Amino acid sequence: MTSRRFVLITHRWIGLSTSIILVIAGATGAVLAVPGPDLLRRAASRLHETLALGSVGNMIVLTATGAAIVLQLGGVWLWWKRKSFAVRLSAGWRRMVIDLHHSAGALGLVLMLVLAVTGVGMTMIAPGPARRLFVDLHTAREYALPVKLLYALGSLGFLVQGVTGVLMWWRPRPGR
């Protein structure tokens, strides 16, 4: 088995097994990045951090976020061969989904990687200046609205990647 094939298979299985968590974290992260009603933000925060499952949910989110780092690094390695940002809308829904997955991943790589690394890092670093830096980089709370909107887009990258990744796996059978 070639290294590319190994990375592809690993990327697919890790992505499939973590996609729902990353979709939830991405959608709620986008809500948390921009100002909004307190009730919505509290609900989004609870889902974002623990899936509303307490400490077990926190471990699930932490594991999926660590997996996201592996997915992003493997994804850029797989993307590097073609290096394309095109989304061909006229090539059929399947090709469009694949192109969107590849393009969104490559374009959002840096911001999604920052979000994932700081998400994992702020749970692993003891309270102090380093942790404060990780929290600030992860939440964008101290930044201006345009930066918060950029963070919201980066967070939505996880949603796009999760949904398009699962759709890439799905192959409808004729006659069903």
Side-chain angles (χ1 to χ4, degrees):
M1 178 183 306
T2 67
S3 59
R4 180 173 174 76
R5 181 95 177 122
F6 175 78
V7 171
L8 178 62
I9 291 169
T10 305
H11 184 82
R12 285 178 177 167
W13 281 106
I14 292 172
L16 187 62
S17 63
T18 60
S19 62
I20 190 68
I21 310 308
L22 295 175
V23 165
I24 291 168
T28 56
V31 169
L32 293 170
V34 294
D38 282 344
L39 181 61
L40 177 64
R41 294 177 61 74
R42 277 197 309 269
S45 179
R46 190 163 180 229
L47 283 171
H48 186 76
E49 295 172 12
T50 67
L51 303 173
L53 297 174
S55 60
V56 170
N58 188 295
M59 289 306 298
I60 293 169
V61 171
L62 181 61
T63 302
T65 305
I69 297 167
V70 174
L71 286 169
Q72 291 158 358
L73 296 175
V76 77
W77 192 78
L78 292 167
W79 170 83
W80 196 260
K81 184 176 180 180
R82 291 195 180 101
K83 296 183 211 130
S84 173
F85 292 107
V87 178
R88 294 166 277 190
L89 301 174
S90 61
W93 77 268
R94 229 176 137 59
R95 182 78 249 169
M96 182 194 71
V97 166
I98 292 168
D99 287 348
L100 181 59
H101 185 81
H102 295 164
S103 297
L107 291 171
L109 174 71
V110 172
L111 189 50
M112 290 190 311
L113 201 52
V114 165
L115 290 169
V117 167
T118 56
V120 170
M122 62 188 201
T123 64
M124 307 246 174
I125 295 175
R131 184 174 183 176
R132 182 79 243 154
L133 175 65
F134 271 71
V135 170
D136 288 344
L137 281 172
H138 186 75
T139 63
R141 284 185 193 138
E142 304 299 322
Y143 301 134
L145 184 60
V147 175
K148 289 179 181 186
L149 292 173
L150 183 63
Y151 266 60
L153 282 174
S155 195
L156 287 174
F158 290 106
L159 183 138
V160 170
Q161 291 300 102
V163 170
T164 57
V166 169
L167 287 174
M168 287 167 61
W169 272 74
W170 183 60
R171 295 196 197 307
R173 294 182 202 165
R176 284 194 172 192

Coordinates of all heavy atoms in Angstrom, one line a residue, residues 70-149:
V70 N -5.4 16.0 12.7 CA -4.9 14.9 11.9 C -5.5 15.0 10.5 O -4.9 14.9 9.5 CB -5.1 13.5 12.5 CG1 -4.7 12.4 11.6 CG2 -4.3 13.5 13.8
L71 N -6.9 15.2 10.5 CA -7.6 15.3 9.2 C -7.1 16.5 8.4 O -6.9 16.3 7.2 CB -9.1 15.5 9.5 CG -9.9 14.3 10.0 CD1 -11.2 14.7 10.5 CD2 -10.0 13.3 8.9
Q72 N -6.8 17.6 9.0 CA -6.4 18.8 8.2 C -5.0 18.5 7.7 O -4.7 18.9 6.5 CB -6.4 20.0 9.1 CG -7.8 20.4 9.5 CD -7.9 21.3 10.7 OE1 -6.8 21.6 11.4 NE2 -9.1 21.7 11.1
L73 N -4.1 18.0 8.5 CA -2.8 17.7 7.9 C -2.8 16.7 6.8 O -2.1 16.8 5.8 CB -1.8 17.3 9.1 CG -1.6 18.4 10.1 CD1 -0.8 17.8 11.3 CD2 -1.0 19.6 9.5
G74 N -3.6 15.6 7.1 CA -3.7 14.6 6.0 C -4.4 15.1 4.8 O -4.0 14.8 3.6
G75 N -5.4 16.0 5.0 CA -6.1 16.5 3.9 C -5.3 17.4 3.0 O -5.3 17.4 1.8
V76 N -4.4 18.2 3.6 CA -3.5 19.1 2.8 C -2.5 18.3 2.1 O -2.1 18.6 0.9 CB -2.9 20.2 3.7 CG1 -1.7 19.7 4.5 CG2 -2.4 21.4 2.8
W77 N -2.1 17.2 2.7 CA -1.1 16.3 2.0 C -1.8 15.6 0.8 O -1.2 15.5 -0.3 CB -0.6 15.2 3.0 CG 0.6 14.5 2.5 CD1 1.9 14.9 2.5 CD2 0.5 13.2 2.0 NE1 2.7 13.9 2.0 CE2 1.9 12.8 1.7 CE3 -0.4 12.2 1.8 CZ2 2.2 11.6 1.1 CZ3 -0.1 11.0 1.2 CH2 1.2 10.7 0.9
L78 N -3.0 15.2 0.9 CA -3.7 14.6 -0.2 C -4.1 15.7 -1.3 O -4.0 15.4 -2.5 CB -5.1 14.0 0.3 CG -4.9 12.8 1.2 CD1 -6.2 12.4 1.9 CD2 -4.4 11.6 0.4
W79 N -4.4 16.9 -0.8 CA -4.8 17.9 -1.8 C -3.6 18.4 -2.6 O -3.7 18.8 -3.7 CB -5.4 19.1 -1.0 CG -5.6 20.4 -1.8 CD1 -6.6 20.7 -2.6 CD2 -4.7 21.5 -1.9 NE1 -6.4 21.9 -3.2 CE2 -5.3 22.4 -2.7 CE3 -3.5 21.8 -1.3 CZ2 -4.7 23.6 -3.0 CZ3 -2.9 23.0 -1.6 CH2 -3.4 23.9 -2.4
W80 N -2.4 18.3 -2.0 CA -1.2 18.9 -2.6 C -0.9 18.4 -4.0 O -0.4 19.2 -4.8 CB 0.0 18.7 -1.7 CG 1.2 19.5 -2.0 CD1 2.3 19.2 -2.7 CD2 1.3 20.9 -1.6 NE1 3.1 20.3 -2.8 CE2 2.5 21.4 -2.1 CE3 0.5 21.8 -0.9 CZ2 3.0 22.7 -2.0 CZ3 1.0 23.1 -0.7 CH2 2.2 23.5 -1.2
K81 N -1.3 17.2 -4.3 CA -1.0 16.7 -5.6 C -1.7 17.5 -6.7 O -1.1 17.8 -7.8 CB -1.4 15.2 -5.7 CG -1.1 14.5 -7.0 CD -1.5 13.0 -6.9 CE -1.1 12.3 -8.2 NZ -1.5 10.9 -8.1
R82 N -2.9 17.8 -6.5 CA -3.7 18.5 -7.5 C -3.6 20.0 -7.4 O -3.7 20.8 -8.3 CB -5.2 18.1 -7.4 CG -5.4 16.7 -7.9 CD -6.8 16.4 -8.2 NE -6.9 15.0 -8.6 CZ -7.3 14.0 -7.9 NH1 -7.6 14.2 -6.6 NH2 -7.4 12.8 -8.4
K83 N -3.6 20.5 -6.1 CA -3.5 22.0 -5.8 C -4.6 22.8 -6.6 O -4.3 23.8 -7.2 CB -2.1 22.5 -6.1 CG -1.0 21.9 -5.3 CD 0.3 22.6 -5.6 CE 1.4 21.6 -5.4 NZ 2.3 21.4 -6.4
S84 N -5.8 22.4 -6.5 CA -6.9 23.0 -7.2 C -7.9 23.7 -6.2 O -8.2 23.1 -5.2 CB -7.6 22.0 -8.1 OG -8.8 22.6 -8.7
F85 N -8.3 24.9 -6.6 CA -9.3 25.6 -5.8 C -10.7 25.7 -6.6 O -11.5 26.4 -6.2 CB -8.9 27.0 -5.5 CG -7.7 27.0 -4.5 CD1 -6.4 27.4 -5.0 CD2 -7.9 26.7 -3.2 CE1 -5.4 27.4 -4.1 CE2 -6.8 26.7 -2.3 CZ -5.6 27.1 -2.7
A86 N -10.8 25.0 -7.7 CA -12.0 25.1 -8.6 C -13.1 24.3 -8.0 O -12.9 23.2 -7.6 CB -11.6 24.7 -10.0
V87 N -14.3 24.9 -8.1 CA -15.5 24.1 -7.8 C -16.3 24.1 -9.1 O -16.9 25.1 -9.5 CB -16.3 24.7 -6.6 CG1 -17.6 24.0 -6.4 CG2 -15.5 24.8 -5.4
R88 N -16.4 22.9 -9.7 CA -17.1 22.8 -11.0 C -18.5 22.5 -10.8 O -18.9 21.4 -10.4 CB -16.4 21.7 -11.8 CG -15.0 22.1 -12.2 CD -14.2 20.9 -12.7 NE -13.7 20.2 -11.5 CZ -12.9 19.2 -11.6 NH1 -12.4 18.7 -12.7 NH2 -12.5 18.6 -10.5
L89 N -19.3 23.5 -10.9 CA -20.8 23.4 -10.7 C -21.5 22.6 -11.7 O -22.5 22.0 -11.5 CB -21.4 24.8 -10.5 CG -20.8 25.7 -9.4 CD1 -21.4 27.1 -9.5 CD2 -21.1 25.1 -8.1
S90 N -21.0 22.7 -13.0 CA -21.7 22.0 -14.1 C -21.3 20.5 -14.3 O -21.7 19.9 -15.2 CB -21.4 22.8 -15.4 OG -20.0 22.8 -15.6
A91 N -20.4 20.0 -13.4 CA -19.9 18.6 -13.5 C -20.7 17.6 -12.8 O -20.3 16.5 -12.6 CB -18.4 18.6 -13.1
G92 N -21.9 18.0 -12.3 CA -22.7 17.1 -11.5 C -22.5 17.3 -10.0 O -21.5 17.9 -9.5
W93 N -23.5 16.9 -9.2 CA -23.5 17.2 -7.8 C -22.3 16.5 -7.1 O -21.7 17.1 -6.2 CB -24.8 16.8 -7.1 CG -25.0 15.3 -6.9 CD1 -25.6 14.4 -7.7 CD2 -24.6 14.6 -5.7 NE1 -25.6 13.2 -7.2 CE2 -25.0 13.2 -5.9 CE3 -24.0 14.9 -4.5 CZ2 -24.8 12.2 -5.0 CZ3 -23.7 13.9 -3.6 CH2 -24.1 12.6 -3.8
R94 N -22.0 15.3 -7.5 CA -20.9 14.6 -6.8 C -19.5 15.3 -7.0 O -18.8 15.5 -6.0 CB -20.8 13.2 -7.4 CG -20.7 12.2 -6.3 CD -20.7 10.8 -6.9 NE -19.8 10.0 -6.2 CZ -19.8 9.9 -4.9 NH1 -20.8 10.4 -4.2 NH2 -18.9 9.2 -4.3
R95 N -19.2 15.7 -8.2 CA -18.0 16.4 -8.5 C -18.0 17.7 -7.8 O -16.9 18.1 -7.2 CB -17.8 16.6 -10.0 CG -16.5 17.2 -10.4 CD -15.4 16.2 -10.4 NE -14.5 16.6 -9.3 CZ -13.5 15.8 -8.8 NH1 -13.3 14.6 -9.4 NH2 -12.8 16.2 -7.8
M96 N -19.1 18.4 -7.7 CA -19.2 19.7 -7.1 C -18.9 19.5 -5.6 O -18.2 20.3 -5.0 CB -20.6 20.3 -7.2 CG -20.7 21.7 -6.6 SD -22.4 22.2 -6.5 CE -23.0 21.1 -5.2
V97 N -19.5 18.5 -4.9 CA -19.2 18.2 -3.5 C -17.8 17.9 -3.2 O -17.2 18.4 -2.3 CB -20.2 17.1 -3.0 CG1 -19.7 16.5 -1.7 CG2 -21.6 17.5 -3.0
I98 N -17.2 17.1 -4.1 CA -15.8 16.8 -3.9 C -14.9 18.0 -4.1 O -14.0 18.3 -3.3 CB -15.3 15.7 -5.0 CG1 -16.0 14.3 -4.6 CG2 -13.8 15.5 -5.0 CD1 -15.9 13.3 -5.7
D99 N -15.2 18.8 -5.1 CA -14.4 20.1 -5.3 C -14.6 21.0 -4.2 O -13.6 21.7 -3.7 CB -14.8 20.7 -6.6 CG -14.4 20.0 -7.9 OD1 -13.5 19.1 -7.8 OD2 -14.8 20.4 -9.0
L100 N -15.8 21.1 -3.7 CA -16.1 22.0 -2.5 C -15.3 21.5 -1.3 O -14.7 22.3 -0.6 CB -17.6 22.1 -2.3 CG -18.0 23.0 -1.1 CD1 -17.6 24.4 -1.4 CD2 -19.6 22.9 -1.0
H101 N -15.3 20.2 -1.0 CA -14.6 19.7 0.1 C -13.1 20.0 0.0 O -12.5 20.5 1.0 CB -14.8 18.2 0.1 CG -14.2 17.5 1.3 ND1 -14.8 17.5 2.6 CD2 -13.0 16.8 1.5 CE1 -14.0 16.8 3.4 NE2 -12.9 16.4 2.8
H102 N -12.5 19.8 -1.2 CA -11.1 20.0 -1.4 C -10.8 21.5 -1.3 O -9.8 21.9 -0.6 CB -10.6 19.5 -2.7 CG -10.7 18.0 -2.8 ND1 -10.7 17.4 -4.0 CD2 -10.9 17.0 -1.9 CE1 -10.8 16.1 -3.8 NE2 -10.9 15.8 -2.6
S103 N -11.6 22.4 -1.9 CA -11.3 23.8 -1.9 C -11.5 24.4 -0.6 O -10.7 25.2 -0.1 CB -12.2 24.5 -3.0 OG -11.9 24.0 -4.3
A104 N -12.6 24.1 0.1 CA -12.9 24.7 1.4 C -11.8 24.2 2.4 O -11.3 25.0 3.2 CB -14.2 24.2 1.9
G105 N -11.3 23.0 2.3 CA -10.3 22.5 3.2 C -9.0 23.2 3.0 O -8.3 23.6 3.9
A106 N -8.6 23.4 1.7 CA -7.3 24.1 1.4 C -7.4 25.6 1.8 O -6.4 26.1 2.3 CB -7.0 23.9 -0.1
L107 N -8.5 26.2 1.4 CA -8.6 27.7 1.7 C -8.7 28.0 3.2 O -8.2 29.0 3.7 CB -9.8 28.3 0.9 CG -9.6 28.3 -0.6 CD1 -10.9 28.7 -1.2 CD2 -8.5 29.3 -0.9
G108 N -9.4 27.1 3.9 CA -9.6 27.3 5.4 C -8.6 26.6 6.3 O -8.7 26.7 7.5
L109 N -7.6 26.0 5.7 CA -6.6 25.2 6.4 C -6.0 26.0 7.6 O -6.1 25.5 8.7 CB -5.5 24.7 5.5 CG -4.4 24.0 6.3 CD1 -4.9 22.6 6.8 CD2 -3.2 23.8 5.4
V110 N -5.5 27.1 7.4 CA -4.7 27.8 8.4 C -5.7 28.2 9.6 O -5.4 27.9 10.7 CB -4.0 29.1 7.9 CG1 -3.5 29.9 9.0 CG2 -3.0 28.7 6.9
L111 N -6.8 28.8 9.3 CA -7.7 29.2 10.3 C -8.3 28.0 11.1 O -8.4 27.9 12.3 CB -8.8 30.1 9.8 CG -9.7 30.7 10.8 CD1 -8.9 31.4 11.9 CD2 -10.6 31.7 10.1
M112 N -8.7 26.9 10.3 CA -9.2 25.7 11.0 C -8.2 25.1 11.8 O -8.5 24.5 12.9 CB -9.8 24.8 9.9 CG -11.1 25.3 9.3 SD -12.0 24.1 8.3 CE -10.8 23.5 7.2
L113 N -6.9 25.1 11.4 CA -5.9 24.5 12.1 C -5.6 25.3 13.4 O -5.4 24.7 14.5 CB -4.6 24.4 11.3 CG -3.5 23.5 11.7 CD1 -4.0 22.0 11.9 CD2 -2.4 23.4 10.7
V114 N -5.7 26.6 13.3 CA -5.5 27.5 14.5 C -6.6 27.2 15.5 O -6.4 27.0 16.7 CB -5.5 29.0 14.1 CG1 -5.7 29.9 15.4 CG2 -4.2 29.3 13.5
L115 N -7.9 27.1 15.0 CA -9.0 26.8 15.9 C -8.9 25.4 16.6 O -9.1 25.3 17.8 CB -10.3 26.9 15.1 CG -10.7 28.3 14.7 CD1 -11.9 28.2 13.7 CD2 -11.1 29.1 15.9
A116 N -8.5 24.4 15.8 CA -8.4 23.1 16.4 C -7.2 23.0 17.4 O -7.3 22.4 18.5 CB -8.2 22.0 15.2
V117 N -6.0 23.5 17.0 CA -4.9 23.4 17.9 C -5.1 24.2 19.2 O -4.8 23.7 20.3 CB -3.6 23.9 17.2 CG1 -2.4 24.2 18.1 CG2 -3.2 23.0 16.1
T118 N -5.7 25.4 19.1 CA -6.0 26.2 20.3 C -7.1 25.5 21.1 O -7.1 25.6 22.3 CB -6.3 27.6 19.9 OG1 -7.4 27.7 19.0 CG2 -5.1 28.4 19.3
G119 N -8.0 24.9 20.4 CA -9.1 24.2 21.2 C -8.5 23.1 22.0 O -8.9 22.9 23.2
V120 N -7.6 22.3 21.4 CA -7.0 21.2 22.2 C -6.0 21.8 23.2 O -6.0 21.4 24.4 CB -6.3 20.2 21.3 CG1 -5.4 19.3 22.0 CG2 -7.3 19.5 20.4
G121 N -5.3 22.8 22.8 CA -4.2 23.4 23.7 C -4.8 24.0 24.9 O -4.2 23.9 26.0
M122 N -5.9 24.7 24.8 CA -6.4 25.4 26.0 C -6.9 24.4 27.1 O -7.0 24.8 28.2 CB -7.4 26.5 25.7 CG -8.7 26.1 25.0 SD -9.6 27.5 24.5 CE -11.2 26.8 24.4
T123 N -7.2 23.2 26.7 CA -7.6 22.2 27.7 C -6.3 21.5 28.3 O -6.5 20.9 29.4 CB -8.5 21.1 27.1 OG1 -7.8 20.4 26.1 CG2 -9.7 21.7 26.5
M124 N -5.2 21.6 27.6 CA -4.0 20.9 28.1 C -3.0 21.8 28.8 O -2.1 21.3 29.5 CB -3.3 20.3 26.9 CG -4.2 19.4 26.1 SD -3.6 17.8 26.2 CE -4.9 16.9 25.3
I125 N -3.2 23.1 28.7 CA -2.2 24.0 29.3 C -2.7 24.5 30.6 O -3.9 24.9 30.7 CB -1.9 25.2 28.3 CG1 -1.2 24.7 27.1 CG2 -1.0 26.2 29.0 CD1 -1.0 25.7 26.0
A126 N -1.9 24.6 31.6 CA -2.3 25.1 32.9 C -2.6 26.6 32.9 O -2.1 27.3 32.0 CB -1.1 24.9 33.9
P127 N -3.5 27.0 33.7 CA -3.8 28.5 33.7 C -2.6 29.3 33.8 O -1.7 29.0 34.6 CB -4.7 28.6 35.0 CG -5.3 27.3 35.2 CD -4.2 26.3 34.7
G128 N -2.6 30.4 33.1 CA -1.5 31.3 33.0 C -1.5 32.1 31.7 O -2.5 32.0 30.9
P129 N -0.4 32.8 31.4 CA -0.4 33.6 30.2 C -0.5 32.8 28.9 O -1.1 33.2 27.9 CB 1.0 34.3 30.2 CG 1.4 34.2 31.6 CD 0.7 33.0 32.2
A130 N 0.1 31.6 28.9 CA 0.1 30.8 27.6 C -1.3 30.3 27.4 O -1.8 30.3 26.2 CB 1.0 29.6 27.8
R131 N -2.0 29.9 28.4 CA -3.4 29.4 28.3 C -4.3 30.6 27.8 O -5.2 30.5 27.0 CB -3.9 28.8 29.5 CG -5.3 28.3 29.3 CD -5.8 27.5 30.5 NE -7.1 27.0 30.3 CZ -7.8 26.2 31.1 NH1 -7.2 25.9 32.2 NH2 -9.0 25.8 30.8
R132 N -4.1 31.8 28.4 CA -4.8 33.0 28.0 C -4.7 33.2 26.5 O -5.6 33.6 25.8 CB -4.4 34.2 28.9 CG -5.1 35.4 28.6 CD -6.5 35.4 29.3 NE -7.5 35.5 28.3 CZ -8.7 35.0 28.5 NH1 -9.1 34.5 29.6 NH2 -9.6 35.1 27.5
L133 N -3.4 33.1 26.0 CA -3.2 33.3 24.6 C -4.0 32.3 23.8 O -4.6 32.6 22.8 CB -1.7 33.2 24.3 CG -1.3 33.2 22.8 CD1 -1.6 34.6 22.3 CD2 0.2 32.9 22.7
F134 N -4.0 31.0 24.2 CA -4.7 30.0 23.5 C -6.2 30.3 23.5 O -6.9 30.2 22.5 CB -4.5 28.6 24.1 CG -3.3 27.9 23.5 CD1 -2.0 28.4 23.7 CD2 -3.5 26.8 22.7 CE1 -0.9 27.7 23.2 CE2 -2.4 26.2 22.1 CZ -1.1 26.6 22.4
V135 N -6.7 30.7 24.6 CA -8.2 31.1 24.7 C -8.5 32.3 23.8 O -9.5 32.2 23.1 CB -8.6 31.4 26.2 CG1 -10.0 32.0 26.3 CG2 -8.5 30.1 27.0
D136 N -7.6 33.3 23.9 CA -7.9 34.5 23.0 C -7.8 34.1 21.5 O -8.7 34.6 20.7 CB -6.9 35.6 23.3 CG -7.1 36.2 24.6 OD1 -8.2 36.1 25.2 OD2 -6.2 36.9 25.1
L137 N -6.9 33.3 21.1 CA -6.8 32.8 19.7 C -7.9 31.9 19.3 O -8.4 32.0 18.2 CB -5.4 32.1 19.5 CG -4.2 33.0 19.3 CD1 -3.0 32.1 19.3 CD2 -4.3 33.8 18.1
H138 N -8.4 31.2 20.3 CA -9.5 30.2 19.9 C -10.9 31.0 19.9 O -11.7 30.6 19.0 CB -9.6 29.1 21.0 CG -10.6 28.1 20.6 ND1 -10.4 27.1 19.6 CD2 -11.8 27.8 21.1 CE1 -11.4 26.3 19.5 NE2 -12.3 26.7 20.4
T139 N -11.1 31.9 20.8 CA -12.4 32.5 20.9 C -12.6 33.8 20.1 O -13.7 34.2 19.8 CB -12.8 32.8 22.3 OG1 -11.8 33.7 22.9 CG2 -12.7 31.5 23.2
A140 N -11.5 34.5 19.8 CA -11.5 35.8 19.2 C -12.3 36.9 20.0 O -12.7 37.9 19.4 CB -12.1 35.7 17.8
R141 N -12.5 36.6 21.3 CA -13.3 37.5 22.1 C -12.7 39.0 22.1 O -13.5 39.9 22.2 CB -13.4 37.0 23.5 CG -14.4 35.9 23.7 CD -14.5 35.5 25.1 NE -15.2 34.2 25.1 CZ -14.9 33.2 25.9 NH1 -13.9 33.3 26.8 NH2 -15.5 32.0 25.8
E142 N -11.4 39.1 22.1 CA -10.8 40.4 22.2 C -10.6 41.1 20.9 O -10.0 42.1 20.8 CB -9.4 40.2 23.0 CG -9.5 39.6 24.3 CD -10.4 40.3 25.3 OE1 -10.4 41.6 25.3 OE2 -11.2 39.7 26.1
Y143 N -11.0 40.5 19.8 CA -10.8 41.0 18.5 C -12.0 41.8 18.0 O -13.1 41.7 18.4 CB -10.4 39.9 17.5 CG -9.2 39.1 18.0 CD1 -9.2 37.7 17.9 CD2 -8.1 39.7 18.4 CE1 -8.2 36.9 18.3 CE2 -7.0 38.9 18.8 CZ -7.0 37.6 18.8 OH -5.9 36.8 19.2
A144 N -11.7 42.6 16.9 CA -12.7 43.4 16.3 C -13.7 42.5 15.5 O -13.4 41.4 15.2 CB -12.1 44.4 15.3
L145 N -14.9 43.1 15.2 CA -15.9 42.3 14.5 C -15.5 41.7 13.2 O -15.8 40.5 13.0 CB -17.2 43.2 14.3 CG -18.4 42.5 13.7 CD1 -18.9 41.4 14.6 CD2 -19.5 43.5 13.4
P146 N -14.7 42.3 12.4 CA -14.3 41.7 11.1 C -13.5 40.4 11.4 O -13.6 39.4 10.7 CB -13.4 42.7 10.4 CG -13.9 44.0 10.9 CD -14.3 43.8 12.4
V147 N -12.7 40.4 12.4 CA -11.9 39.2 12.8 C -12.9 38.1 13.3 O -12.7 36.9 13.0 CB -10.8 39.5 13.8 CG1 -10.1 38.2 14.3 CG2 -9.8 40.5 13.3
K148 N -13.8 38.5 14.1 CA -14.8 37.6 14.6 C -15.6 36.9 13.4 O -15.9 35.7 13.5 CB -15.8 38.2 15.6 CG -15.1 38.6 16.9 CD -16.1 39.3 17.8 CE -15.4 39.7 19.1 NZ -16.3 40.2 20.1
L149 N -15.9 37.7 12.4 CA -16.6 37.2 11.3 C -15.7 36.2 10.5 O -16.2 35.2 10.0 CB -17.1 38.3 10.3 CG -18.2 39.2 10.9 CD1 -18.5 40.4 10.0 CD2 -19.5 38.4 11.2

